[in-house]
Structures are given as structure tokens and as C-alpha cells.
Amino acid sequence: MWSTTVVGRAEELGRISDVLRGARDGRFGALIIEGDAGIGKTTLVRVACDAAREEARVLSGACLPLISATVPLVGLRSAVRGLAVEERPAVLGGPVPRRRAEGGGSGGPAVPVPVALDDWLSAQAVRRPVVLAVDDLHWADEETLDALMYVLAGPAERRLGVILTVRSTDVAAHHPLRRWLADVRRLPGVEELAVGPLSREEIAAEVAAVLGGPAHSSLVDEVFARSRGNPYFTRLLVTGLGPSTRSLPAHLPQEISAAAVRAWGSLSDGARRLVVALAVGGRPVVGPSLALVADVADLVDPGPALHKAVEAGLLDIAADGSVWFHHPLQAEAVEEGLLPEERRALHNAFAAGYEEGVDGDASVEPDPELAGSISDHHALAGQDDSAFRWAMRAAEAMRAAGDDIGRLRMLGRAIDLRPGLKGVAESLVDLLEQARVVAREVGDWDAELRAVEGLRRAVRPGTDELRLAVLDAWRSMLRFRLGLSTDHGDLARARERSASAPATWQRVVVLCESSHLFLWAGRLEEGRAAAEEGLATAEAHGGPRPGTDADEWLRACAYAHGQAAMLAVFEGDARRAGEHAHRGAEQAVLARDGLTLLHATFWGANARPYPKSDWVEAVARGRQEMERVGIPQPFIAWLSAGESLGLFELGDTEACLSRLRVALGAQAGPAADLNARLTSGLLATSQGRQDEAEAHLARAGEMFAAQLSMPVFHAGAVTAAVRLGRDDPAAALDAATAAIEREGVNPTHCEWLVPLAARALADLVQAERDVGRDPLPQLQRLADLRAQTPHVLPDGEVDEAYQPVLDALDRLYDAETARAQDDPNAAILWRETVDRLSNVPLPWDAAYACWRAAEALLGQGGAAERRQAAEMLRRGYALTLRLGAQPVQEHIESLARWARIPLTEVGAVGDRTAGAEAVALTRREREVLGHVVAGRTYAEIAAALFLSEKTVSTHISNILRKTGTANRVALATWAGRQGGVS
């Protein structure tokens, strides 16, 4: 019903539609919509009015911020501007009516504007429902307000709806509109609607609409934080950015800066100084902090200046008395307009003022946030010594308060400043080690890698070989999980350096990480040897013990068991893999270590990859355990990314989308982000959202080009599927072939590579036949593929649960081959493929195979084959409706229409219905039919589809006639015979 340009406003649009439906049904109603500038009020009204134009006369206008001229009734005049002059009311520029002279005069008394407008609207409403929408009422002149007051106080029984918008920030305490609003709120039929900011998910959709595809999560986070959910500011912030942008530019867009500076420039001198000081202060203030802002602004009494800034819509006073900008971007814009030396002077003044307040009472430890703010001001004033000293004080205060994210930020500043300082007690190595530990605990792998690499540079070779060894292992581990290239040479040196200390946790970590990379590289014997030695060392010397290394031993033991689980999976021993994964997970929980718990969870699930529901359940249990014990979000997001692929294979699209939102909505690191984007692309192309799929794949290629070929990712299969989705079988074949031929361990989702390659070749063969060319070259390529890869590629060891999956996909491979070769047995192969894929189950592939089976059967032309084809079409259609597999659904619908085979599935409300297709119902009739099946009344259907009940009745009469049913009950029964509501 609503335009796709509106994001996340279903409730607001519903409120507006209530008013418009009331007008259609003869009930007057009015809605006053309030909200900040740019929050989307005008767009909401436009979209709602556009939807109402079919059944109502829509009069839409706007008031204007005129300065040097006064145009009475400008908002109402613009509302009727689109009408012919003879249709407009006289008071708004229409023809002046002739009046019979009274008492010898030339005309009767003039009718007041409010009365004339109200009479005209009433007359219009007799002919057709009327919607009057006036935007930006805060700029309305008094005549407009008087006229609207009279209209709003008019009769309740007329087909008229009034929609008004007001910018909240422009209605200060003494604004004339404030009293007007207070008066009209008491009138019957007048309601209010406050429009608030969008959620992060909704802002992500806004950003995607501007960029042409899903944005990187870091960009969405920054946009959401700075726009505070304001859609207009969001669009301004991202307009002109490239699709691979990960962060916003340093400077604000001109439109935002100009608006803030314009409001600031209208203030008094004292108010301007107060606003500037508050902007440079950088945070909301109350009490003593507000006094400091006043001191910096050189104001003895900040009260008058503060109220002026509040009235101008720049500042807000919260319920707790704190003062801050109405929107944070205003603070950025004001500060951005200062000269560098002005900024430094103000930051210096704030640092000195806050520092004096804290040090004035030596018995009180500084508030962590205040200490961090003092460090910030010193840093921005260019005072590195003081910035470092306060960063350390803030880091300690944040440690005591449990603010690890803030602590990591302060440690990062201290690390950056430390090399340029003299006479500082803290060593760079100690700072880096603190940052490494905190980064690991919060799951910030980028920060942890920076700290590890800083430590590797700081520790000189020959001074602490064991420390260098474990640093090399950690570096390898982090680079792999961040999707970066890894160096076996580093680990070889780490094994040499740690060999002299075999009974240490460092040796365990080095061996486990070596095993991890060996196994992924296909070097099973070396991987086994390293994993077994690491586990033996952990079991012999690890476990709970007193001492400074107790936690590191616990983590090392957890990693050793997790790595033993991985080895067992590679060796096909599911029982042993499960046991080690369970032990590793227990120890990781005790250590509260997200990384080792992640490792153990995945390899515990991989011990039994099929049935896929078991794998998904195992990963979900691990994720829930992480949530229970408070493991940071990045680790949960990584598990969510993996879980989403399993849910996709199972055909649980809602749960898949839910997990993808978690994965893409957190800073989980590039590897988890890449996994989520690949699955998002696979789901999008399978559901027909090809532009979205292409955007996900393009973003993955731009950001993670070097990582796409790593076996832990399913890039080959996804790329091939997306290329097939855009009807580019040649590119799909190239992608699948490259993944098939890569060396080492087969990549994730590798089972689909060979069937996808065969499908691409079959499409290429068919394309040659369609234009009369010889398909022999493509058939030869298919023969070569069959010779080199006679069966689908397994992802790991094959057991009795996994073998049916491979058999089903092998049969899909055979069926695609038969399609390419125009084999007379193709129909039999496709029917067998449908049955095998359904039994596993693999619903996406089964739906596709149903289409191909019906296609092959109908090609044979017999009556029995036609009955079998009808069964395949209906079976596939039911699957496509459940999955939302639009591309295959459209192929099935097209084939059914051509063959005149009725599809026996009635879709859910708003979906296509099979019976509706068979009897050629229109799209609107199919929508109405879905609501009838759902048991809705005429009124409910009318409300849902924004139609009159009379129109609904007409549609149902047409449906009854076309389906040969006598009434709604019979119609619902007919629909049930077609398959019911999916």
C-alpha cells in the first residue's frame, strides 16, 4: 500500500490512514503531526495522500518562511493551486460570486474567510471525500490559523480529513502557534502524532537506499550515532559516498553546517559564545559543568543566553536539568566553523577548568567519563604530557567501573602518545600488553592485532623468545579470523622459539595455532602432530592452578581441546570431536574467553554437520551460552553469521534474516562480516532481490578481495549462484570452476559447486541451441567437468547422515547433465532429484528441480506426463511460496500458464494465489481473495487495502463470478480446495 521510499513508519502511516478512511466513510478527523526538522513528517503526509488520491480529492499545501512580504493564507492558497480557477473558493483566488443587491446596494455583506473556506470544503466533501494537508504550520500566518481553527471546529459528519505538520523545534515558549495548538487539542476529532527517530535497522535501510545497496556496518554505526535516527540528516551525510565507504568524511555536508550556523548567527552575542563553548565542551552539562561552560564563554549569568539558544531550537534542557544541543550535528557544525587556534584555546580552558575541579578535592577519584574528557581536551589542545597523564587516570577509573570499551580507547591514546614523551613511568610494552588483554576480552580483534604487532616490534629478538613465539601465534590467529593472509613462516619460527620450553601455555598456543593452519591448508599429518602434542602438553601441565598464568593456561587448554575437535572432524571421528568440543567449551566459559568458545562451538557443531538442523541447533546452543555468560557481541555476531547459512539451507528464511541482522549489525570483524554478506547475497538472489545480491557480493569483493578464496568462506558457491541470478551463466561457470580447482581443503558450501557449474553449462548449451549454433564446445566442457569431477565435492568426512545429501546433489548434477545433453531420460532424473532433495531436505534446490522436472515432462507431450508435470508444478509452487523464491516461482507460474495447468496453492495475504492465476484474477482480486481466505470482513479488507467497502464488494462479486462460486463461504471453500493459505 505504501511507497517503498518510507522506511520504518508503518505505525505512523497507519495513524494517518485512520483519518483518511474516516473521511471516506463520512467521519471528520484531523491529525497534527509533530517532530524535528528532517524527521520525515512531509514524506509521511505525501505518501499517505498519494495513496488516497484514488478515492479522495487531495488538497496539499505548505506554509512558507517569508521575511519581507506577507502573503495571507499562503498555506491554503498553495493547497488549491492545482485546481482550475473556477474550482477554487473565492477567498483563495477563485471566481467572486455575484450577489443580489440589498437595499439598493451593489452587493451583500462579505463572508468571512474561515466561513467561506469551511462552506467550500463542505460542498466539495458532498461530491467526494476531501483531504486537506498543510505542511509547516509553524510558519502559518494568523489568517491561516483562524481559518483552520474554524474548519477543525466544524461538523463531525462530513467526508473531510485534515492533516497538519509542525516542526517542534520552531515552536518556542512565546510562539503564537503554541496557544493555537493548546486550543485545537481540545476539539473533538483532533489527534496528535509525534514522529520520532528511526532505529538503527531503519537507518541502515535509508543508507542502503542512497548507496544503492547494503552499507558496511561501521558506516551504518557512525551514521546512526551522528544522525540520531534523523532520515534527512542521514541522507545528507551519505549522499555522494561510494558503495565501499566504511566511515564518514571528516567534514559535515554544507547543508547541515549552513543550517546550524544560520540558527547560531541569529542569536545574541552572549548566546553565541555560550553555544560555541558548549560545542567545544563536547558533552551535556549540568550544575558545576554548566558553570564551567559559562566561565569559558565569559558569561556571569548564563540564564538569558541559554534561554535564547533554547528558543532558537539549538539547545535543549532535559528533565534532569542538563543542557545539550537539540541534535549533536549542530554541535559539530558550530565547532567546525572555528579557527584552529580558537578551538585549541577553548579546549585548553576546559581542560584547566575540569582539572581544577577534580584536583581541588584530592580525596575523590575522578569520574571515569570526566577523566576521559579531561584527557580529550588536553589532547585537542596539543598538550601531550597532560593528555597522557589523564588518559592513564581515566583508564584506571574505567577499569574499576567495568568500562572496558572506554578503557581500551584511553589505552590507545596513551600508546600513541608514549613514544614522544620522556620521564614517563609506564613502558610502551606494558601499555601494549594491557591493550591486548582488554581488546581480547571485548572482542575487538583489530585493536588486539594492533597491540600484538606493536609488542612484536617492541620485544627484541633474543631477549624473550617465548614471548615472541606466542605473539607470532596470536598474530597468526588474529589475521586468520580477520580474513587476512597468514604466514606459515611466522609459525615455524614460533615453534622453534618455544621448543625449549615445552611445558608452557605458550607452547600449547603455538602448537594449536600451527595445527589450525596446517589443517586448513590440507596438511593433515602435520596438523595431527601439532594438535596431539598441544593437547598432551595441556593435559599434562594445564588446568586450574594458582599463579599469574592461571587464566592463560585455562585458555590454552580450551584451545587445545577445540583444536583436537577440529582434528577429529577432519579425521571423521564425530564422537571424539564432540567430546573435545564439549571440554573446550566448558573451559572457555570458565575463562570467559569468547575466541576459544567460538572455536569449540563451531567444531562441536561440525562434528555432525547433517542433518543440518542438528548443526544449526548446536551453533544456536553455543550462541545462547555466550549470551548467558556475557561474552561480548562480536563473538555472538560471528556465530550468528555461521548460523544464518545453516538456516538458509533449511529454508527458514525468517530466522536466517534475524541472524543476519545480528551479524551485520555488530563489529564482529571482517571475516564474520564477509560470511554474513555472502549468505545475505545468497538469500537475496534466491528470493529475486538481485540488486541487493549484487550489492552484497560487490561489497564483499571490494572489502575482502584477498579473503574470498579462503576455504572457511562460501564465496565460490555464492558468486556462482548470484551470477546465475542475473542470467550470466558464463560468469557463474568461471566462479564455480575456480572454487572447484583450488588447492587444499574444499571450501564451505562446496557441495553445490559442481551442480552449479553443470547448471551454468546446461544454460550455455541451451543458449547456443536457441540461436541455432552448435553447442558441441559447451557439451565438451561439460564432458571435461564430468571426467575431472564425477561427483559433488564433500565438505569433510562422509558419514551415514551426510551421504544422502551428497547423493541428492549428485542426482542434481546428473539431471543438469541430462538437460544439457537433451537426454530423453531427463524427466525421470529430475523427478528422482526432486524426491531426493525433498527427503534430505534441501528445499531451495527441490523447488528448482520441480520446475525443471515439469519442464522435461511437458516436453514429452503425453497425458500421464502432463499429470506428473502438474504434480511437480504444484509441489514446487508450494515450496516457492514458503521460501519466497520469486525467480523459481515466476518460472513455475509461466510454465503453468503456458500448459494451462492450475496451480493449487492459495498464497498468504498479499501473495500470489495459484487458483487466482488459474482463473485469471487481477492482482487486486488476488489480494482481496487472500483476505477472504483469512476470514476478514468487508470493513477489515477495505481498511487493509485502503479501499471503500463498496469497492471491496465489487471485487468479491467479480471473484465469485470468475470462480463459479455463489457466496463468500463457497469462495473460501473453493480456495481451500486449491490448497489453502500457505
Side-chain angles (χ1 to χ4, degrees):
M1 173 178 175
W2 302 115
S3 166
T4 56
T5 60
V6 177
V7 173
R9 298 298 193 193
E11 182 178 348
E12 291 88 343
L13 287 168
R15 289 283 305 280
I16 300 173
S17 71
D18 288 343
V19 173
L20 304 185
R21 278 197 300 271
R24 182 198 61 204
D25 296 337
R27 299 188 310 276
F28 168 77
L31 187 66
I32 301 172
I33 304 173
E34 300 182 64
D36 287 352
I39 208 66
K41 305 180 297 297
T42 301
T43 301
L44 281 171
V45 175
R46 174 181 56 78
V47 170
C49 288
D50 285 348
R53 291 185 192 279
E54 182 180 346
E55 295 192 349
R57 163 162 276 183
V58 176
L59 307 173
S60 181
C63 302
L64 299 173
L66 302 178
I67 298 174
S68 62
T70 300
V71 179
L73 304 168
V74 65
L76 296 171
R77 288 178 185 275
S78 64
V80 300
R81 187 177 295 157
L83 303 180
V85 173
E86 59 271 17
E87 293 185 280
R88 301 175 191 171
V91 293
L92 298 180
V96 178
R98 294 183 179 181
R99 294 185 178 275
R100 182 180 300 170
E102 297 179 7
S106 60
V111 179
V113 169
V115 176
L117 175 64
D118 191 66
D119 288 346
W120 182 82
L121 288 171
S122 294
Q124 294 294 314
V126 170
R127 303 186 186 98
R128 193 180 186 198
V130 176
V131 175
L132 174 64
V134 181
D135 204 15
D136 293 327
L137 204 63
H138 44 278
W139 290 325
D141 59 281
E142 291 184 358
E143 286 189 76
T144 297
L145 295 179
D146 285 345
L148 287 173
M149 174 73 77
Y150 194 82
V151 170
L152 295 177
E157 293 79 21
R158 57 177 171 174
R159 298 193 297 175
L160 173 64
V162 178
I163 308 294
L164 308 172
T165 73
V166 179
R167 186 183 297 175
S168 307
T169 54
D170 283 33
V171 186
H174 303 295
H175 195 289
L177 186 62
R178 187 174 287 273
R179 179 175 177 180
W180 185 91
L181 288 170
D183 290 336
V184 299
R185 286 180 181 122
R186 294 193 291 267
L187 296 175
V190 178
E191 298 183 358
E192 292 180 274
L193 171 64
V195 180
L198 298 177
S199 67
R200 185 197 178 282
E201 283 184 14
E202 292 159 352
I203 288 297
E206 285 278 352
V207 174
V210 177
L211 299 185
H216 193 277
S217 57
S218 63
L219 177 65
V220 174
D221 285 340
E222 189 175 358
V223 170
F224 181 62
R226 294 177 70 181
S227 73
R228 294 292 178 91
N230 185 298
Y232 177 67
F233 287 162
T234 293
R235 290 190 292 274
L236 288 180
L237 286 170
V238 301
T239 295
L241 298 184
S244 61
T245 305
R246 300 172 72 100
S247 61
L248 290 173
H251 298 289
L252 289 173
Q254 178 63 28
E255 293 89 339
I256 295 178
S257 298
V261 171
R262 184 164 55 249
W264 174 81
S266 67
L267 300 174
S268 65
D269 178 64
R272 287 200 299 270
R273 294 200 309 273
L274 179 72
V275 168
V276 167
L278 188 62
V280 174
R283 64 178 188 151
V285 294
V286 65
S289 296
L290 178 59
L292 176 58
V293 170
D295 288 342
V296 171
D298 197 21
L299 292 170
V300 176
D301 179 9
L306 174 60
H307 287 293
K308 286 288 185 184
V310 170
E311 287 185 3
L314 276 171
L315 303 183
D316 287 338
I317 302 176
D320 63 357
S322 62
V323 177
W324 187 234
F325 284 83
H326 182 73
H327 197 285
L329 286 177
Q330 295 169 321
E332 289 187 44
V334 169
E335 185 176 6
E336 200 172 84
L338 299 174
L339 295 173
E341 54 269 23
E342 292 176 315
R343 280 196 215 102
R344 284 194 293 271
L346 289 168
H347 283 300
N348 182 49
F350 271 109
Y354 282 130
E355 197 168 4
E356 180 181 353
V358 171
D359 290 341
D361 186 353
S363 64
V364 178
E365 280 298 314
D367 171 77
E369 184 181 354
L370 178 58
S373 183
I374 295 172
S375 177
D376 291 341
H377 285 299
H378 277 303
L380 291 167
Q383 300 164 342
D384 291 353
D385 288 309
S386 297
F388 178 89
R389 175 168 54 86
W390 276 99
M392 295 308 302
R393 287 186 69 174
E396 178 56 29
M398 290 169 179
R399 182 199 63 77
D403 181 6
D404 287 332
I405 300 295
R407 182 185 175 201
L408 186 59
R409 186 174 79 87
M410 288 294 104
L411 287 171
R413 169 169 292 152
I415 289 167
D416 290 340
L417 294 174
R418 178 62 184 82
L421 303 178
K422 295 181 180 179
V424 176
E426 296 85 356
S427 73
L428 180 60
V429 170
D430 287 343
L431 292 173
L432 287 166
E433 181 61 24
Q434 288 184 57
R436 183 196 69 78
V437 171
V438 177
R440 181 181 180 111
E441 289 175 352
V442 300
D444 190 336
W445 297 347
D446 287 297
E448 186 180 359
L449 179 59
R450 288 194 297 273
V452 166
E453 291 184 329
L455 286 166
R456 287 175 78 248
R457 291 190 295 270
V459 177
R460 294 193 304 274
T463 60
D464 194 341
E465 292 296 290
L466 193 58
R467 189 170 198 177
L468 281 173
V470 78
L471 287 171
D472 279 336
W474 280 333
R475 179 175 183 270
S476 172
M477 180 191 306
L478 289 164
R479 287 185 65 83
F480 183 87
R481 284 162 177 78
L482 286 168
L484 304 173
S485 61
T486 52
D487 187 350
H488 281 277
D490 283 347
L491 281 173
R493 286 187 292 275
R495 289 192 297 276
E496 292 175 5
R497 284 171 168 149
S498 62
S500 59
T504 59
W505 64 264
Q506 291 93 335
R507 177 66 175 174
V508 174
V509 171
V510 168
L511 290 169
C512 289
E513 185 53 27
S514 296
S515 172
H516 183 246
L517 286 193
F518 281 143
L519 292 178
W520 277 121
R523 296 159 64 175
L524 179 60
E525 293 302 322
E526 293 164 290
R528 179 188 297 115
E532 290 176 348
E533 183 183 347
L535 181 63
T537 302
E539 290 183 327
H541 304 285
R545 61 169 72 185
T548 57
D549 287 344
D551 288 342
E552 294 295 357
W553 264 113
L554 195 55
R555 292 189 183 97
C557 289
Y559 192 17
H561 281 289
Q563 193 54 36
M566 180 180 180
L567 172 63
V569 169
F570 272 69
E571 293 181 330
D573 191 335
R575 182 194 58 78
R576 181 162 55 92
E579 290 174 354
H580 283 299
H582 181 70
R583 286 284 307 280
E586 284 183 331
Q587 292 171 328
V589 168
L590 289 174
R592 297 183 64 81
D593 188 87
L595 194 59
T596 51
L597 181 54
L598 179 75
H599 190 61
T601 298
F602 268 133
W603 289 107
N606 290 342
R608 294 187 180 277
Y610 283 93
K612 184 58 69 174
S613 56
D614 287 357
W615 187 92
V616 169
E617 184 180 348
V619 175
R621 282 198 304 269
R623 170 177 54 80
Q624 291 159 2
E625 180 69 359
M626 282 188 175
E627 293 167 343
R628 184 187 68 81
V629 300
I631 298 296
Q633 189 69 13
F635 301 104
I636 295 171
W638 184 298
L639 281 180
S640 292
E643 193 179 347
S644 67
L645 179 59
L647 290 164
F648 169 83
E649 291 181 25
L650 290 172
D652 192 342
T653 55
E654 288 189 12
C656 176
L657 280 169
S658 175
R659 290 297 98 208
L660 286 173
R661 282 194 288 269
V662 171
L664 291 171
Q667 294 295 318
D673 194 16
L674 175 54
N675 254 332
R677 288 193 180 279
L678 290 173
T679 301
S680 296
L682 187 58
L683 177 63
T685 197
S686 301
Q687 293 188 323
R689 303 188 307 277
Q690 191 62 26
D691 288 346
E692 180 184 332
E694 296 282 355
H696 277 298
L697 193 58
R699 200 66 49 82
E702 289 165 356
M703 294 188 295
F704 315 114
Q707 295 82 15
L708 284 175
S709 63
M710 295 176 67
V712 71
F713 302 120
H714 48 301
V718 173
T719 304
V722 172
R723 296 294 175 256
L724 284 169
R726 75 175 187 195
D727 294 324
D728 189 351
L733 178 61
D734 289 343
T737 302
I740 291 167
E741 294 176 349
R742 74 172 301 280
E743 296 182 358
V745 176
N746 289 334
T748 298
H749 219 56
C750 61
E751 302 95 329
W752 279 263
L753 289 171
V754 177
L756 285 168
R759 176 179 171 181
L761 281 165
D763 287 350
L764 289 169
V765 167
Q766 188 59 54
E768 295 295 297
R769 289 184 178 132
D770 288 344
V771 295
R773 285 198 294 262
D774 185 358
L776 185 59
Q778 303 298 349
L779 287 168
Q780 185 57 54
R781 294 179 70 182
L782 179 58
D784 293 341
L785 175 67
R786 299 283 319 193
Q788 294 165 6
T789 316
H791 298 285
V792 299
L793 303 176
D795 185 6
E797 293 297 316
V798 179
D799 60 15
E800 61 182 11
Y802 187 26
Q803 187 63 55
V805 176
L806 299 178
D807 290 343
L809 291 172
D810 257 335
R811 189 47 48 122
L812 178 60
Y813 185 16
D814 295 339
E816 292 287 13
T817 302
R819 177 165 73 95
Q821 294 172 342
D822 206 11
D823 189 328
N825 293 318
I828 296 173
L829 286 171
W830 279 115
R831 289 189 65 195
E832 291 178 358
T833 301
V834 169
D835 290 339
R836 292 197 182 195
L837 291 169
S838 299
N839 290 336
V840 175
L842 293 174
W844 297 95
D845 303 283
Y848 168 78
C850 284
W851 164 43
R852 292 299 188 189
E855 184 181 57
L857 286 161
L858 288 171
Q860 295 181 351
E865 287 80 7
R866 178 179 173 82
R867 286 193 298 272
Q868 293 168 2
E871 178 194 349
M872 289 292 103
L873 287 171
R874 292 164 185 160
R875 189 169 170 182
Y877 194 68
L879 283 171
T880 63
L881 290 175
R882 178 168 70 83
L883 298 169
Q886 183 181 346
V888 177
Q889 179 180 332
E890 290 176 352
H891 284 301
I892 289 175
E893 289 172 344
S894 176
L895 189 58
R897 282 194 298 270
W898 171 80
R900 299 183 181 276
I901 293 175
L903 298 171
T904 58
E905 280 289 343
V906 176
V909 173
D911 285 337
R912 291 180 176 86
T913 60
E917 291 287 344
V919 296
L921 299 185
T922 67
R923 179 179 179 183
R924 180 66 88 183
E925 287 168 349
R926 293 197 299 272
E927 290 176 338
V928 171
L929 174 59
H931 285 284
V932 171
V933 173
R936 291 181 172 84
T937 65
Y938 280 29
E940 290 170 335
I941 298 172
L945 299 179
F946 204 72
L947 301 171
S948 68
E949 290 185 36
K950 181 178 179 181
T951 302
V952 171
S953 176
T954 300
H955 284 312
I956 291 180
S957 296
N958 290 335
I959 298 170
L960 294 173
R961 174 177 53 80
K962 291 180 179 181
T963 58
T965 51
N967 51 44
R968 288 189 56 180
V969 175
L971 178 59
T973 303
W974 173 86
R977 289 198 303 271
Q978 306 304 313
V981 177
S982 63

